């Protein structure tokens, strides 16, 4: 037995020594089965080997005989190819590699924060049958691993593979990118590759290289600070310890778990001393006020016999911050933070004929806990539903101090660029789609410079200063204001609009696609399809298509009124649903904006208010949530928010 063990150790040592002395050809994760290469341009195939290793590559009836350089790097350049495939690539060196199912088509890098990352599985109920019918081998996604690195720009990913759209894979596709790719395929019948490089909550500076950050020393210095592994570990350990201690103490203090014979999710619990609350709603509006900790909620509902034993989904809108849900005393699901929609499967054997109990344990760790307004709260069956809105019972389980936010090192400057963008540089692409900004709205003026610097740097890194770059403008969000006011979100949208001054930039206006109570609006299909329209203009050079809504161009003052002119009007300006134009405000020299009358006349917009005899400026949709926007063009695309008094 000892002899056999010794032989195995020697064998492992010999194999390891052989691989050290005779390393094999290695390919980046992008160069793998199912990859889509960019059509109509020279493309690189590259990798690593031992120093000066001889390599033979067979691809498209061509033989490439090359020698790796002294550091083991090698590459070949493939001549321009038309869309098509599938093809195989064979590599012979000390080892033999075959890459199968290669297509040529268009490749788009889709990057940004959560609204770009947002997967199809979280909007599937908005588009019944979409995932089930998504089988398309010509639409593929490469999901970039979500990692950071502050020390150096990486040249490969730790993992990743190309996945075709189908009912198994599509749920994990970026929803915006999927609908975008689907429109490209429908129009051009070419393969479309999505490189999904998004991360929720990320700031723009985290996607910028060290070169790009040279203009922003405060961000660069912060990035360099995080090259210290000990600092990162200290912060992460502290965050974890603080969070664990908070939740452990919360569980110990929670009255709902104190009596194990009468846990508050038991269906027959005595609740005569529980208070009443309307759901949806926040407990800050009750006598509890803005406490953090745990609050338990209970409601009994009646289920008719014909629905018992059938599939059911428990729809609970959104809950701030975390929830655990029980039906008739049985656990059915949990979500640990406030943003995801709550949709839980109810097993067929849980519901009873007649009275049934639903109990929800809600944790608020900071801010205002409860059930987000204007969301659906119901139990859905195949053809009917039972509403859960209205009166519930509630009881405080525990009070806790506010749990401070974690540090989120992954959002720090440069980290995501080094790990998630840098490995893409050798991969030829059609263009970029960028949906980001929610995390930077507090400082629009800085964002203007950050965005232009990042666009320039990315184009430089891809060795193409004219690569199409499409910005998705932020949608309407937060509570509606009754009067015109200042808005950082409006100013931020203006910064995104100003990006059009950069050559070969597109803008996707989504001011009518948001939700006041959700930073992650569910309508991702219209976003993706408008993204396609913008790409038609700047990437596919289709000038006959109306690619955008009206964009403010100029103004003139006549007779106490302001007359506005626009680009991108198509066959003319329209008011959606033929209603009176809304969301226009006007001011005089005092800069005090008030709501204005507005009408379309000869494809101009005339704005006035009888109270202002000498108007000087107009604003349109200048608010966090201008929910009544209705200025569109003939193609049904909305006008971008704007102001004439910027300068």
């Amino acid at each position: 037995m000892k002899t056999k063990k010794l032989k195995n150790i020697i064998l492992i040592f010999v194999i390891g020594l052989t691989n050290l002395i005779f390393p094999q050809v290695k390919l980046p994760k992008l160069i793998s089965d199912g990859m889509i290469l960019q059509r109509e341009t020279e493309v690189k195939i590259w990798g690593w080997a031992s120093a000066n290793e001889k390599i033979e590559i067979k691809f498209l009836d061509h033989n490439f005989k090359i020698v790796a350089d002294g550091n083991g790097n090698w590459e070949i350049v493939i001549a321009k190819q038309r869309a098509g495939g599938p093809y195989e690539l064979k590599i012979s060196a000390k080892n033999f590699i075959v890459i199968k199912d290669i297509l040529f088509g268009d490749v788009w890098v889709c990057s940004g924060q959560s609204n770009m990352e947002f997967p199809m599985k979280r909007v599937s109920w908005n588009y019944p049958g979409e995932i089930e019918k998504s089988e398309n081998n010509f639409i593929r996604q490469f999901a970039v691993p979500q990692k950071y690195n502050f020390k150096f720009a990486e040249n490969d990913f730790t993992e990743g593979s190309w996945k075709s759209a189908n009912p198994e894979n599509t749920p994990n596709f970026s929803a915006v990118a999927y609908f975008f790719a689907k429109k490209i395929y429908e129009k051009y019948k070419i393969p479309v590759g999505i490189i999904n490089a998004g991360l929720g909550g990320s700031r723009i500076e985290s996607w910028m290289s060290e070169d790009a950050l040279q203009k922003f020393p405060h961000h660069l210095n912060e990035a360099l600070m995080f090259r210290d592994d000990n600092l990162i570990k200290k912060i992460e350990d502290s965050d974890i310890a603080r969070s664990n201690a908070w939740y452990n103490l919360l569980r110990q203090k929670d009255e709902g778990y104190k009596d194990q014979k009468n846990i508050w999710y038991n269906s027959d619990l005595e609740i005569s001393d529980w208070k009443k609350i309307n759901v949806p709603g926040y407990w800050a509006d009750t006598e509890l006020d803005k406490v953090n900790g745990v609050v338990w909620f209970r409601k009994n509902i009646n289920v008719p016999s014909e629905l018992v034993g059938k599939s059911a989904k428990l729809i609970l809108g959104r809950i701030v911050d975390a929830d655990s849900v029980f039906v008739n005393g049985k656990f059915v699901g949990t979500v640990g933070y406030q943003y995801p929609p709550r949709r839980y499967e109810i097993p067929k054997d849980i519901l009873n004929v007649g009275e049934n109990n639903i109990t929800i344990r809600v944790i608020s760790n900071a801010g205002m806990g409860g059930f987000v307004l204007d969301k659906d709260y119901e139990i859905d069956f195949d053809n009917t539903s039972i509403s859960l809105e209205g009166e519930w019972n509630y009881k405080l389980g525990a009070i806790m101090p506010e749990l401070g936010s974690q540090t989120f090192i992954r959002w720090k400057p440069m980290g995501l660029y080094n790990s998630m963008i840098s490995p893409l540089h050798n991969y030829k692409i059609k263009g970029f789609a960028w949906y980001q900004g929610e995390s930077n709205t507090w400082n629009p003026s800085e964002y203007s410079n950050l965005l232009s610097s990042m666009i320039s740097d990315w184009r430089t890194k891809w060795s193409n200063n004219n690569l199409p770059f499409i910005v998705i403008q932020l949608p309407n969000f937060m509570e509606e204001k009754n009067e015109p006011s200042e808005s950082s979100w409006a100013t931020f949208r203006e910064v995104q609009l100003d990006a059009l001054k950069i050559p070969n930039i597109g803008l996707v206006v989504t001011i009518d696609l948001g939700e006041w109570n959700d930073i992650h609006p569910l309508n991702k299909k219209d976003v993706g399809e408008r993204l396609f329209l913008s790409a038609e203009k700047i990437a596919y050079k289709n000038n006959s298509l109306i690619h955008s809504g009206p964009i403010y161009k100029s103004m003139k003052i006549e007779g106490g009124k302001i007359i506005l002119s626009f680009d991108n009007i198509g066959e003319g300006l329209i008011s959606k649903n033929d209603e009176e134009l809304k969301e226009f405000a006007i001011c005089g020299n005092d800069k005090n904006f008030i709501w204005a009358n507005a009408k379309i006349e000869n494809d101009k917009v005339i704005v006035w208010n009888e109270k202002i005899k000498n108007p000087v400026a107009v604003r349109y949709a200048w608010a966090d949530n201008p929910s009544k926007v209705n200025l569109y063009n003939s193609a049904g695309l909305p006008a971008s928010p704007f102001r004439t008094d910027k300068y």
Side-chain angles (χ1 to χ4, degrees):
M1 183 67 73
K2 289 183 179 180
T3 302
K4 183 177 181 181
K5 186 175 181 180
L6 180 60
K7 288 181 178 179
N8 288 337
I9 292 173
I10 293 172
L11 179 60
I12 292 171
F13 174 77
V14 170
I15 292 173
L17 184 61
T18 301
N19 288 336
L20 183 63
I21 300 173
F22 305 108
Q24 298 180 334
V25 167
K26 178 187 173 186
L27 296 171
K29 299 296 185 296
L30 281 166
I31 309 298
S32 55
D33 290 347
M35 68 176 172
I36 295 181
L37 295 173
Q38 181 58 44
R39 64 176 177 140
E40 306 295 348
T41 186
E42 292 182 340
V43 298
K44 287 183 182 179
I45 304 294
W46 75 98
W48 308 276
S50 59
N52 305 312
E53 182 171 357
K54 294 180 179 179
I55 304 167
E56 183 175 356
I57 299 174
K58 295 182 179 181
F59 189 47
L60 299 171
D61 298 324
H62 294 286
N63 282 4
F64 302 86
K65 294 185 178 181
I66 57 173
V67 178
D69 67 19
N71 294 316
N73 299 304
W74 60 266
E75 68 177 45
I76 61 170
V77 176
I78 307 295
K80 295 181 181 181
Q81 301 293 324
R82 301 177 66 179
Y87 305 108
E88 283 191 353
L89 182 148
K90 298 178 180 179
I91 301 176
S92 300
K94 293 188 178 105
N95 56 326
F96 183 71
I97 300 173
V98 179
I99 305 298
K100 301 178 180 179
D101 194 22
I102 300 169
L103 301 176
F104 280 89
D106 285 345
V107 181
W108 286 86
V109 172
C110 298
S111 188
Q113 56 184 105
S114 52
N115 275 306
M116 181 60 87
E117 177 191 4
F118 206 87
M120 282 292 292
K121 61 188 173 186
R122 278 178 57 176
V123 297
S124 59
W125 57 89
N126 272 32
Y127 309 106
E130 185 70 52
I131 288 176
E132 291 77 6
K133 299 175 183 177
S134 65
E135 188 83 39
N136 189 334
N137 192 42
F138 297 106
I139 296 177
R140 300 176 183 179
Q141 174 180 267
F142 185 97
V144 172
Q146 296 176 335
K147 293 183 59 185
Y148 62 80
N149 185 338
F150 299 101
K151 293 183 178 179
F152 59 89
E154 299 181 21
N155 60 12
D156 196 11
F157 301 118
T158 54
E159 59 183 345
S161 60
W162 290 91
K163 303 286 188 182
S164 297
N166 59 47
E168 179 182 357
N169 297 327
T170 303
N172 295 315
F173 277 40
S174 157
V176 167
Y178 169 77
F179 287 118
F180 173 52
K182 184 179 178 184
K183 289 297 290 185
I184 295 174
Y185 179 78
E186 288 174 352
K187 177 69 179 288
Y188 293 103
K189 294 296 187 290
I190 59 168
V192 184
I194 301 162
I195 298 179
N196 181 359
L199 179 64
S202 56
R203 301 178 182 128
I204 188 172
E205 55 267 28
S206 64
W207 297 101
M208 297 174 66
S209 72
E210 185 170 356
D211 293 335
L213 289 175
Q214 295 296 328
K215 299 177 184 177
F216 309 94
H218 59 297
H219 288 312
L220 179 59
N221 290 338
E222 185 177 24
L224 298 178
M225 181 177 71
F226 281 98
R227 286 181 171 170
D228 184 346
D229 290 339
N230 292 327
L231 174 63
I232 292 176
K233 187 175 189 309
K234 181 180 179 181
I235 292 173
E236 289 180 339
D237 288 349
S238 175
D239 280 351
I240 292 170
R242 179 167 52 85
S243 178
N244 288 343
W246 194 90
Y247 281 99
N248 288 337
L249 180 59
L250 178 72
R251 179 60 183 258
Q252 294 172 24
K253 293 176 65 175
D254 190 351
E255 295 292 335
Y257 284 115
K258 290 284 179 71
D259 183 353
Q260 290 299 302
K261 293 183 179 179
N262 290 289
I263 298 176
W264 288 3
Y265 59 67
N266 289 349
S267 56
D268 57 354
L269 185 73
E270 168 59 41
I271 61 168
S272 59
D273 61 338
W274 287 44
K275 308 288 187 181
K276 305 290 187 183
I277 187 174
N278 281 323
V279 171
Y282 299 95
W283 66 69
D285 298 323
T286 73
E287 63 184 35
L288 291 181
D289 204 4
K290 296 180 180 180
V291 301
N292 292 302
V294 168
V295 178
W296 293 72
F297 297 84
R298 293 174 62 93
K299 185 179 183 67
N300 289 337
I301 59 167
N302 284 303
V303 179
S305 58
E306 62 268 22
L307 297 180
V308 172
K310 293 187 176 181
S311 297
K313 286 186 176 66
L314 182 59
I315 312 300
L316 294 174
R318 280 183 47 236
I319 297 175
V320 182
D321 289 286
D323 61 278
S324 298
V325 183
F326 306 85
V327 177
N328 291 333
K330 297 178 181 178
F331 175 75
V332 297
T334 183
V335 172
Y337 63 110
Q338 65 171 289
Y339 293 114
R342 271 49 171 186
R343 301 178 72 87
Y344 302 117
E345 297 285 341
I346 301 178
K348 293 181 180 180
D349 60 347
I350 285 186
L351 293 177
N352 305 313
V353 176
E355 189 172 89
N356 292 261
N357 173 261
I358 299 172
T359 299
I360 307 172
R361 178 180 185 255
V362 179
I363 297 172
S364 171
N365 52 43
M368 206 161 63
F371 300 82
V372 174
L373 302 174
D374 288 347
K375 294 288 185 180
D376 293 331
Y377 295 87
E378 60 193 25
I379 298 179
D380 280 356
F381 299 88
D382 288 339
N383 299 308
T384 189
S385 64
I386 298 174
S387 175
L388 298 178
E389 294 187 7
E391 190 175 86
W392 285 58
N393 295 288
Y394 78 93
K395 189 171 183 179
L396 179 66
I399 296 177
M400 290 287 290
E402 181 175 315
L403 174 62
S405 175
Q406 67 183 88
T407 307
F408 294 110
I409 292 171
R410 63 182 180 270
W411 298 341
K412 297 299 181 180
M414 193 169 69
L416 299 183
Y417 169 85
N418 280 347
S419 190
M420 297 181 66
I421 298 298
S422 176
L424 298 171
H425 290 162
N426 280 333
Y427 208 78
K428 289 295 182 71
I429 63 173
K430 186 72 171 179
F432 305 100
W434 177 249
Y435 194 165
Q436 190 278 335
E438 297 91 339
S439 292
N440 290 91
T441 53
W442 62 278
N443 193 352
S445 60
E446 182 189 49
Y447 192 85
S448 177
N449 295 325
L450 289 168
L451 180 60
S452 60
S453 295
M454 189 193 77
I455 292 171
S456 176
D457 184 64
W458 281 20
R459 286 172 165 174
T460 298
K461 295 296 194 296
W462 263 269
S463 301
N464 185 343
N465 291 327
N466 203 40
L467 264 178
F469 194 105
I470 305 175
V471 176
I472 298 174
Q473 193 182 56
L474 295 189
N476 51 308
F477 175 54
M478 294 184 285
E479 291 189 17
E480 186 177 359
K481 299 288 179 62
N482 293 325
E483 299 296 333
S485 61
E486 298 301 326
S487 162
S488 63
W489 275 62
T491 308
F492 192 89
R493 295 185 194 106
E494 181 180 67
V495 168
Q496 295 177 306
L497 174 64
D498 285 347
L500 287 174
K501 297 173 183 176
I502 303 171
N504 224 31
I505 295 291
L507 180 75
V508 179
V509 177
T510 67
I511 195 62
D512 57 340
L513 301 181
E515 300 176 29
W516 78 266
N517 56 3
D518 203 331
I519 203 168
H520 303 118
L522 297 180
N523 186 349
K524 296 295 190 265
K525 183 175 183 179
D526 283 341
V527 179
E529 293 187 349
R530 290 181 188 177
L531 177 59
F532 164 74
L533 292 177
S534 186
E536 279 276 79
K537 171 70 173 179
I538 69 166
Y540 297 97
K541 308 303 180 185
N542 184 351
N543 294 319
S544 64
L545 195 69
I546 302 174
H547 68 283
S548 166
I551 301 295
Y552 167 72
K553 181 170 62 173
S554 63
M555 63 165 272
K556 65 179 180 177
I557 302 172
E558 286 186 1
K561 297 179 179 179
I562 294 181
I563 303 172
L564 305 173
S565 298
F566 297 84
D567 290 324
N568 300 329
I569 66 172
E571 296 179 4
L573 297 175
I574 65 170
S575 171
K576 190 174 183 180
N577 300 326
D578 293 323
E579 296 176 351
E580 179 184 344
L581 289 179
K582 305 289 187 181
E583 300 291 352
F584 280 90
I586 195 168
C587 76
N589 287 318
D590 61 1
K591 300 293 184 181
N592 181 29
F593 281 89
I594 61 175
W595 294 125
N597 302 301
K599 65 178 181 179
I600 298 169
E601 199 171 278
N602 298 322
D603 287 329
K604 312 282 187 184
V605 173
I606 302 174
V607 186
W608 77 98
N609 186 306
E610 299 296 344
K611 295 179 180 179
I612 298 179
K613 302 302 181 183
N614 298 299
V616 298
V618 165
R619 292 178 175 180
Y620 172 69
W622 195 262
D624 299 331
N625 179 24
S627 64
K628 300 182 182 68
V629 292
N630 62 347
L631 177 62
Y632 286 68
N633 61 17
S634 60
L637 297 172
S640 172
F642 66 90
R643 59 177 171 171
T644 67
D645 60 316
K646 179 179 178 182
Y647 301 109

